[in-house]
Amino acid sequence: MKTLIGLLLSVLLYPSTLKAEEVGMTPYIVGGSDADVANYPFMASLMFEYESTPGIIYPFCGGSVLDATHILTAAHCVYGTASFQVPSMKVAIGVNNGQDMLMAQKVAVKNIYYPSDYNDSTLVNDVAVLELSQPLPTYALVNEVTLASSGDEALYRNETEDFTIVGYGRLGTNQKNPNLQFMEATVNYASAANCGKWQGITITDKLICTKGKAPDPPISDSNLVTATCQGDSGGPLVWSDNGVKTQIGIVSFGPSICGQPNQSNGDPLAAQSVFTDVSQYKDWILQAQRGEFAPTTSATPNSGSSGGALTFGGLLALYIFGFSRRKLS
């Protein structure tokens, strides 16, 4: 039985003792190195924050800035979010680590958009747009992401092309990153024909696959290659278009062991990460950004920013939310 896992993360951060809750998961960009978010000013961090539990945040996904009030992310990051939870979903930009997330000026989400035919079992049409309740306070034009267009495909769908993955997390399976340092790594384009052999899944032109590279320096006691993993969902796959950082993909899913180079029988894996191809959804993204159709989920009127008390049941729900994006095939 083959397993694909969506790349979500749910952690607790405390201002006095910044730490990630360890519950048997691996939230990291495999083989990544420290990066400065200033070099990726469009990067956004998604988290839950409740007025009833001040000083605690629950980061769960990444995203990218479309404009001062809209964020691009993955549908599986926000699928099933109840209306009363929406105001407690917050966005921060310009953060390099968990401490920055705590201190950042965060803005609440107002509306969630994702395609009506999004399939949470197969992760088909895994794209979403978040409308914020007010403009990002530190927003400037430099934060606005450049999205790939359909005409760019012939350029980046080439096995000689390298891309950059970015996100917050560990250096490797046995190398913790307790401060959730922002990280980057290089990956290589993998053709749909090769990627489709990977897990017997159908890779369409709406998806992009990448093959990892051996990290430098190598991950100790491991043959893992660079890849996305839990916590990186919704973040951008970045391609340099003549020096312009351009988002071509949205982190969607990968194998159950992040960064594994080989199948269980020892044969090489054709790819380690799969992304939603932004160019194939650009029209839909722009329509959602302009509010040309009704949102999938809206914040409950007059619910404020507390989103209700974070009870034990609510915490359990966040735990389930962080680990439910799994597909068997």
mmCIF file of all heavy atoms in Angstrom, residues 254-286:
data_model
loop_
_atom_site.group_PDB
_atom_site.id
_atom_site.type_symbol
_atom_site.label_atom_id
_atom_site.label_comp_id
_atom_site.label_asym_id
_atom_site.label_seq_id
_atom_site.Cartn_x
_atom_site.Cartn_y
_atom_site.Cartn_z
ATOM 1 N N GLY A 254 3.652 14.755 -0.950
ATOM 2 C CA GLY A 254 4.875 14.003 -1.203
ATOM 3 C C GLY A 254 4.780 12.636 -0.559
ATOM 4 O O GLY A 254 3.743 12.282 0.008
ATOM 5 N N PRO A 255 5.847 11.828 -0.635
ATOM 6 C CA PRO A 255 5.819 10.491 -0.035
ATOM 7 C C PRO A 255 5.765 10.572 1.479
ATOM 8 O O PRO A 255 6.057 11.600 2.077
ATOM 9 C CB PRO A 255 7.124 9.856 -0.516
ATOM 10 C CG PRO A 255 8.021 11.015 -0.783
ATOM 11 C CD PRO A 255 7.131 12.128 -1.272
ATOM 12 N N SER A 256 5.367 9.464 2.104
ATOM 13 C CA SER A 256 5.188 9.458 3.562
ATOM 14 C C SER A 256 6.484 9.716 4.306
ATOM 15 O O SER A 256 6.478 10.257 5.407
ATOM 16 C CB SER A 256 4.570 8.131 4.018
ATOM 17 O OG SER A 256 5.360 7.044 3.578
ATOM 18 N N ILE A 257 7.624 9.316 3.728
ATOM 19 C CA ILE A 257 8.925 9.638 4.306
ATOM 20 C C ILE A 257 9.514 10.766 3.472
ATOM 21 O O ILE A 257 9.937 10.558 2.332
ATOM 22 C CB ILE A 257 9.865 8.425 4.317
ATOM 23 C CG1 ILE A 257 9.254 7.288 5.131
ATOM 24 C CG2 ILE A 257 11.239 8.818 4.876
ATOM 25 C CD1 ILE A 257 10.072 6.015 5.115
ATOM 26 N N CYS A 258 9.530 11.951 4.029
ATOM 27 C CA CYS A 258 9.963 13.124 3.271
ATOM 28 C C CYS A 258 11.422 13.004 2.862
ATOM 29 O O CYS A 258 12.285 12.691 3.682
ATOM 30 C CB CYS A 258 9.771 14.379 4.112
ATOM 31 S SG CYS A 258 8.093 14.598 4.727
ATOM 32 N N GLY A 259 11.677 13.248 1.590
ATOM 33 C CA GLY A 259 13.042 13.242 1.102
ATOM 34 C C GLY A 259 13.635 11.880 0.837
ATOM 35 O O GLY A 259 14.827 11.777 0.538
ATOM 36 N N GLN A 260 12.825 10.822 0.909
ATOM 37 C CA GLN A 260 13.390 9.503 0.663
ATOM 38 C C GLN A 260 13.781 9.384 -0.808
ATOM 39 O O GLN A 260 13.012 9.717 -1.708
ATOM 40 C CB GLN A 260 12.407 8.397 1.055
ATOM 41 C CG GLN A 260 11.151 8.311 0.190
ATOM 42 C CD GLN A 260 10.213 7.205 0.634
ATOM 43 O OE1 GLN A 260 9.258 7.452 1.351
ATOM 44 N NE2 GLN A 260 10.484 5.991 0.215
ATOM 45 N N PRO A 261 15.001 8.911 -1.096
ATOM 46 C CA PRO A 261 15.452 8.860 -2.482
ATOM 47 C C PRO A 261 15.019 7.615 -3.230
ATOM 48 O O PRO A 261 15.002 7.607 -4.462
ATOM 49 C CB PRO A 261 16.976 8.910 -2.351
ATOM 50 C CG PRO A 261 17.244 8.259 -1.029
ATOM 51 C CD PRO A 261 16.073 8.617 -0.143
ATOM 52 N N ASN A 262 14.689 6.555 -2.479
ATOM 53 C CA ASN A 262 14.394 5.274 -3.115
ATOM 54 C C ASN A 262 13.064 4.684 -2.648
ATOM 55 O O ASN A 262 12.571 4.992 -1.561
ATOM 56 C CB ASN A 262 15.507 4.256 -2.815
ATOM 57 C CG ASN A 262 16.856 4.710 -3.311
ATOM 58 O OD1 ASN A 262 16.985 5.188 -4.435
ATOM 59 N ND2 ASN A 262 17.869 4.580 -2.462
ATOM 60 N N GLN A 263 12.499 3.837 -3.484
ATOM 61 C CA GLN A 263 11.326 3.078 -3.106
ATOM 62 C C GLN A 263 11.733 1.963 -2.153
ATOM 63 O O GLN A 263 12.922 1.695 -1.946
ATOM 64 C CB GLN A 263 10.653 2.482 -4.348
ATOM 65 C CG GLN A 263 10.255 3.514 -5.395
ATOM 66 C CD GLN A 263 9.662 2.875 -6.625
ATOM 67 O OE1 GLN A 263 8.731 2.080 -6.538
ATOM 68 N NE2 GLN A 263 10.209 3.211 -7.783
ATOM 69 N N SER A 264 10.746 1.264 -1.588
ATOM 70 C CA SER A 264 11.032 0.210 -0.624
ATOM 71 C C SER A 264 11.819 -0.939 -1.257
ATOM 72 O O SER A 264 12.556 -1.649 -0.575
ATOM 73 C CB SER A 264 9.723 -0.325 -0.021
ATOM 74 O OG SER A 264 8.855 -0.770 -1.041
ATOM 75 N N ASN A 265 11.690 -1.117 -2.590
ATOM 76 C CA ASN A 265 12.435 -2.184 -3.265
ATOM 77 C C ASN A 265 13.834 -1.743 -3.692
ATOM 78 O O ASN A 265 14.565 -2.507 -4.329
ATOM 79 C CB ASN A 265 11.655 -2.695 -4.479
ATOM 80 C CG ASN A 265 11.460 -1.633 -5.551
ATOM 81 O OD1 ASN A 265 11.969 -0.518 -5.426
ATOM 82 N ND2 ASN A 265 10.713 -1.973 -6.592
ATOM 83 N N GLY A 266 14.189 -0.513 -3.356
ATOM 84 C CA GLY A 266 15.516 -0.008 -3.677
ATOM 85 C C GLY A 266 15.601 0.779 -4.956
ATOM 86 O O GLY A 266 16.610 1.458 -5.212
ATOM 87 N N ASP A 267 14.559 0.724 -5.799
ATOM 88 C CA ASP A 267 14.561 1.508 -7.035
ATOM 89 C C ASP A 267 14.442 2.991 -6.707
ATOM 90 O O ASP A 267 13.752 3.367 -5.756
ATOM 91 C CB ASP A 267 13.405 1.094 -7.938
ATOM 92 C CG ASP A 267 13.569 -0.308 -8.506
ATOM 93 O OD1 ASP A 267 14.707 -0.813 -8.488
ATOM 94 O OD2 ASP A 267 12.558 -0.893 -8.950
ATOM 95 N N PRO A 268 15.079 3.838 -7.488
ATOM 96 C CA PRO A 268 15.013 5.282 -7.210
ATOM 97 C C PRO A 268 13.591 5.820 -7.347
ATOM 98 O O PRO A 268 12.827 5.373 -8.210
ATOM 99 C CB PRO A 268 15.923 5.899 -8.267
ATOM 100 C CG PRO A 268 16.683 4.789 -8.870
ATOM 101 C CD PRO A 268 15.917 3.540 -8.656
ATOM 102 N N LEU A 269 13.244 6.767 -6.489
ATOM 103 C CA LEU A 269 11.989 7.495 -6.640
ATOM 104 C C LEU A 269 12.182 8.581 -7.690
ATOM 105 O O LEU A 269 13.201 9.271 -7.694
ATOM 106 C CB LEU A 269 11.578 8.143 -5.315
ATOM 107 C CG LEU A 269 10.754 7.316 -4.335
ATOM 108 C CD1 LEU A 269 10.583 8.081 -3.038
ATOM 109 C CD2 LEU A 269 9.397 6.975 -4.920
ATOM 110 N N ALA A 270 11.202 8.737 -8.567
ATOM 111 C CA ALA A 270 11.319 9.731 -9.631
ATOM 112 C C ALA A 270 11.161 11.145 -9.116
ATOM 113 O O ALA A 270 11.613 12.101 -9.743
ATOM 114 C CB ALA A 270 10.279 9.456 -10.712
ATOM 115 N N ALA A 271 10.491 11.299 -7.957
ATOM 116 C CA ALA A 271 10.254 12.636 -7.402
ATOM 117 C C ALA A 271 10.042 12.529 -5.908
ATOM 118 O O ALA A 271 9.651 11.480 -5.396
ATOM 119 C CB ALA A 271 9.044 13.281 -8.070
ATOM 120 N N GLN A 272 10.309 13.633 -5.205
ATOM 121 C CA GLN A 272 10.097 13.674 -3.756
ATOM 122 C C GLN A 272 9.024 14.675 -3.342
ATOM 123 O O GLN A 272 8.554 14.629 -2.215
ATOM 124 C CB GLN A 272 11.404 14.029 -3.035
ATOM 125 C CG GLN A 272 12.381 12.878 -2.905
ATOM 126 C CD GLN A 272 13.091 12.555 -4.203
ATOM 127 O OE1 GLN A 272 13.378 13.439 -4.993
ATOM 128 N NE2 GLN A 272 13.363 11.281 -4.425
ATOM 129 N N SER A 273 8.640 15.590 -4.228
ATOM 130 C CA SER A 273 7.657 16.623 -3.871
ATOM 131 C C SER A 273 6.757 16.896 -5.070
ATOM 132 O O SER A 273 7.205 16.860 -6.215
ATOM 133 C CB SER A 273 8.350 17.923 -3.451
ATOM 134 O OG SER A 273 9.282 17.708 -2.404
ATOM 135 N N VAL A 274 5.470 17.188 -4.768
ATOM 136 C CA VAL A 274 4.501 17.499 -5.820
ATOM 137 C C VAL A 274 3.801 18.814 -5.463
ATOM 138 O O VAL A 274 3.448 19.049 -4.305
ATOM 139 C CB VAL A 274 3.460 16.370 -5.997
ATOM 140 C CG1 VAL A 274 2.506 16.698 -7.144
ATOM 141 C CG2 VAL A 274 4.161 15.038 -6.262
ATOM 142 N N PHE A 275 3.595 19.643 -6.479
ATOM 143 C CA PHE A 275 3.070 20.993 -6.302
ATOM 144 C C PHE A 275 1.900 21.230 -7.256
ATOM 145 O O PHE A 275 1.854 20.682 -8.359
ATOM 146 C CB PHE A 275 4.150 22.034 -6.601
ATOM 147 C CG PHE A 275 5.435 21.834 -5.845
ATOM 148 C CD1 PHE A 275 6.350 20.873 -6.241
ATOM 149 C CD2 PHE A 275 5.729 22.610 -4.736
ATOM 150 C CE1 PHE A 275 7.544 20.679 -5.547
ATOM 151 C CE2 PHE A 275 6.911 22.434 -4.032
ATOM 152 C CZ PHE A 275 7.821 21.459 -4.441
ATOM 153 N N THR A 276 0.978 22.082 -6.851
ATOM 154 C CA THR A 276 -0.051 22.596 -7.749
ATOM 155 C C THR A 276 0.608 23.609 -8.672
ATOM 156 O O THR A 276 1.305 24.509 -8.213
ATOM 157 C CB THR A 276 -1.164 23.281 -6.948
ATOM 158 O OG1 THR A 276 -1.728 22.347 -6.024
ATOM 159 C CG2 THR A 276 -2.259 23.807 -7.865
ATOM 160 N N ASP A 277 0.388 23.468 -9.988
ATOM 161 C CA ASP A 277 0.977 24.381 -10.958
ATOM 162 C C ASP A 277 0.180 25.683 -10.994
ATOM 163 O O ASP A 277 -0.968 25.710 -11.422
ATOM 164 C CB ASP A 277 1.004 23.741 -12.345
ATOM 165 C CG ASP A 277 1.791 24.551 -13.369
ATOM 166 O OD1 ASP A 277 1.848 25.792 -13.242
ATOM 167 O OD2 ASP A 277 2.349 23.949 -14.299
ATOM 168 N N VAL A 278 0.786 26.761 -10.538
ATOM 169 C CA VAL A 278 0.111 28.060 -10.439
ATOM 170 C C VAL A 278 -0.389 28.549 -11.792
ATOM 171 O O VAL A 278 -1.482 29.135 -11.898
ATOM 172 C CB VAL A 278 1.078 29.095 -9.813
ATOM 173 C CG1 VAL A 278 0.575 30.515 -10.023
ATOM 174 C CG2 VAL A 278 1.263 28.824 -8.320
ATOM 175 N N SER A 279 0.367 28.297 -12.855
ATOM 176 C CA SER A 279 -0.011 28.828 -14.169
ATOM 177 C C SER A 279 -1.360 28.286 -14.638
ATOM 178 O O SER A 279 -2.083 28.961 -15.375
ATOM 179 C CB SER A 279 1.071 28.524 -15.203
ATOM 180 O OG SER A 279 1.081 27.149 -15.558
ATOM 181 N N GLN A 280 -1.691 27.065 -14.194
ATOM 182 C CA GLN A 280 -2.936 26.437 -14.618
ATOM 183 C C GLN A 280 -4.148 26.972 -13.858
ATOM 184 O O GLN A 280 -5.295 26.686 -14.219
ATOM 185 C CB GLN A 280 -2.845 24.919 -14.434
ATOM 186 C CG GLN A 280 -1.729 24.275 -15.226
ATOM 187 C CD GLN A 280 -1.893 24.506 -16.720
ATOM 188 O OE1 GLN A 280 -2.924 24.191 -17.298
ATOM 189 N NE2 GLN A 280 -0.872 25.072 -17.344
ATOM 190 N N TYR A 281 -3.894 27.738 -12.801
ATOM 191 C CA TYR A 281 -4.981 28.269 -11.967
ATOM 192 C C TYR A 281 -4.944 29.791 -11.883
ATOM 193 O O TYR A 281 -5.666 30.372 -11.074
ATOM 194 C CB TYR A 281 -4.897 27.675 -10.552
ATOM 195 C CG TYR A 281 -5.159 26.191 -10.501
ATOM 196 C CD1 TYR A 281 -4.122 25.277 -10.631
ATOM 197 C CD2 TYR A 281 -6.456 25.700 -10.329
ATOM 198 C CE1 TYR A 281 -4.363 23.910 -10.591
ATOM 199 C CE2 TYR A 281 -6.703 24.337 -10.284
ATOM 200 C CZ TYR A 281 -5.652 23.451 -10.415
ATOM 201 O OH TYR A 281 -5.902 22.099 -10.385
ATOM 202 N N LYS A 282 -4.119 30.411 -12.711
ATOM 203 C CA LYS A 282 -3.924 31.853 -12.569
ATOM 204 C C LYS A 282 -5.231 32.630 -12.760
ATOM 205 O O LYS A 282 -5.516 33.582 -12.015
ATOM 206 C CB LYS A 282 -2.858 32.354 -13.534
ATOM 207 C CG LYS A 282 -2.421 33.786 -13.238
ATOM 208 C CD LYS A 282 -1.182 34.169 -14.004
ATOM 209 C CE LYS A 282 -0.704 35.561 -13.615
ATOM 210 N NZ LYS A 282 0.548 35.934 -14.336
ATOM 211 N N ASP A 283 -6.035 32.248 -13.735
ATOM 212 C CA ASP A 283 -7.314 32.933 -13.951
ATOM 213 C C ASP A 283 -8.215 32.794 -12.731
ATOM 214 O O ASP A 283 -8.829 33.765 -12.281
ATOM 215 C CB ASP A 283 -8.028 32.398 -15.193
ATOM 216 C CG ASP A 283 -7.354 32.825 -16.484
ATOM 217 O OD1 ASP A 283 -6.526 33.757 -16.436
ATOM 218 O OD2 ASP A 283 -7.644 32.219 -17.536
ATOM 219 N N TRP A 284 -8.280 31.568 -12.180
ATOM 220 C CA TRP A 284 -9.117 31.331 -10.984
ATOM 221 C C TRP A 284 -8.587 32.158 -9.810
ATOM 222 O O TRP A 284 -9.366 32.763 -9.058
ATOM 223 C CB TRP A 284 -9.129 29.843 -10.624
ATOM 224 C CG TRP A 284 -9.981 29.543 -9.435
ATOM 225 C CD1 TRP A 284 -11.293 29.209 -9.419
ATOM 226 C CD2 TRP A 284 -9.573 29.610 -8.049
ATOM 227 N NE1 TRP A 284 -11.747 29.053 -8.130
ATOM 228 C CE2 TRP A 284 -10.699 29.302 -7.268
ATOM 229 C CE3 TRP A 284 -8.374 29.900 -7.407
ATOM 230 C CZ2 TRP A 284 -10.672 29.262 -5.883
ATOM 231 C CZ3 TRP A 284 -8.334 29.868 -6.018
ATOM 232 C CH2 TRP A 284 -9.471 29.552 -5.267
ATOM 233 N N ILE A 285 -7.267 32.192 -9.632
ATOM 234 C CA ILE A 285 -6.661 32.953 -8.536
ATOM 235 C C ILE A 285 -7.037 34.428 -8.635
ATOM 236 O O ILE A 285 -7.438 35.056 -7.646
ATOM 237 C CB ILE A 285 -5.128 32.771 -8.540
ATOM 238 C CG1 ILE A 285 -4.763 31.331 -8.169
ATOM 239 C CG2 ILE A 285 -4.463 33.751 -7.572
ATOM 240 C CD1 ILE A 285 -3.297 30.981 -8.435
ATOM 241 N N LEU A 286 -6.927 34.987 -9.837
ATOM 242 C CA LEU A 286 -7.238 36.404 -10.025
ATOM 243 C C LEU A 286 -8.727 36.675 -9.800
ATOM 244 O O LEU A 286 -9.098 37.719 -9.242
ATOM 245 C CB LEU A 286 -6.823 36.848 -11.427
ATOM 246 C CG LEU A 286 -5.312 36.832 -11.706
ATOM 247 C CD1 LEU A 286 -5.030 37.188 -13.157
ATOM 248 C CD2 LEU A 286 -4.581 37.778 -10.766
#
